[in-house]
Structure formats: structure tokens, C-alpha cells
């Protein structure tokens, strides 16, 4: 009987946290900035989430978010990836590629 009471108490204490969303990961905030050429404006992704195809002439990606960014060699975020930590950047291959934010 004591185990049932303890289990019921544990469930009762956990329900408010589940309802309020406590413990769920927050959506990444910040920007991912992509440099293409000296003749084009920077491409800026505000608070990105999910998979994004890179512009055709992409050259450099900078991670200004609070999360890790993964860069891919394909447009669908399916191939092996390179991790870019917050505050860092990386060269990206032009023509095809994508990035995702975790």
C-alpha cells in the first residue's frame, strides 16, 4: 500500500512540470549568418530551427545562436555533418549544402 501512495505522490508532483512545459528544450535563439560574395548582402537566419538550404554561392557560415549548428554537403540535411559551436564559423561548399540548428 505504501508503494502505491509513493507512486501516486510522484505522479502528482510530476504533472505540473509536464503541463507547464518545464524540462523541455527551449528553441534556439540568435542568428546564423551566411557570407556569399563581396557583391551580395549577408543572408541572415533569425532564430533558426530545423533544416535550411544554404544559398547557392555560400562561402562562410557563422553561428551566432545559443545552440550548435550542423552543416551538411547536401540540401536536405541528410549527409554526415560538421558541428559549429556558438560563436564560431566555418567555410561551406558552394552550390549545394544545408545547415540545421539543434
Amino acid at each position: 500500500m505504501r508503494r502505491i501512495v509513493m507512486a501516486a505522490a510522484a505522479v502528482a508532483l510530476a504533472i505540473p512540470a509536464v503541463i507547464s512545459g518545464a524540462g523541455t528544450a527551449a528553441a534556439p535563439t540568435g542568428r546564423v549568418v551566411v557570407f556569399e560574395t563581396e557583391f551580395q548582402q549577408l543572408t541572415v537566419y533569425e532564430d533558426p530551427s530545423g533544416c535550411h538550404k544554404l544559398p547557392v554561392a555560400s562561402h562562410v557560415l557563422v553561428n551566432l545562436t545559443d545552440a550548435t549548428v550542423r552543416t551538411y554537403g547536401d540540401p536536405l540535411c541528410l549527409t554526415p555533418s560538421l558541428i559549429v559551436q556558438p560563436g564560431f564559423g566555418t567555410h561551406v561548399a558552394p552550390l549545394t549544402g544545408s545547415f540545421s540548428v539543434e
Side-chain angles (χ1 to χ4, degrees):
M1 180 68 174
R2 184 170 184 219
R3 286 185 183 169
I4 294 173
V5 171
M6 295 294 283
V11 169
L13 292 173
I15 288 174
V18 172
I19 292 172
S20 70
T24 58
T29 59
R31 296 179 175 139
V32 171
V33 179
V34 177
F35 168 78
E36 296 172 70
T37 70
E38 291 80 2
F39 307 106
Q40 295 172 277
Q41 287 188 335
L42 298 171
T43 301
V44 179
Y45 300 86
E46 286 285 339
D47 301 328
S49 63
C51 181
H52 297 272
K53 185 178 183 314
L54 288 167
V56 173
S58 296
H59 185 71
V60 174
L61 177 143
V62 178
N63 179 6
L64 300 175
T65 70
D66 57 1
T68 57
V69 170
R70 291 182 173 269
T71 61
Y72 304 85
D74 71 286
L76 301 174
C77 300
L78 298 174
T79 58
S81 61
L82 172 73
I83 294 176
V84 183
Q85 296 295 332
F88 287 81
T90 187
H91 283 90
V92 292
L95 301 178
T96 63
S98 57
F99 74 90
S100 65
V101 182
E102 299 177 347

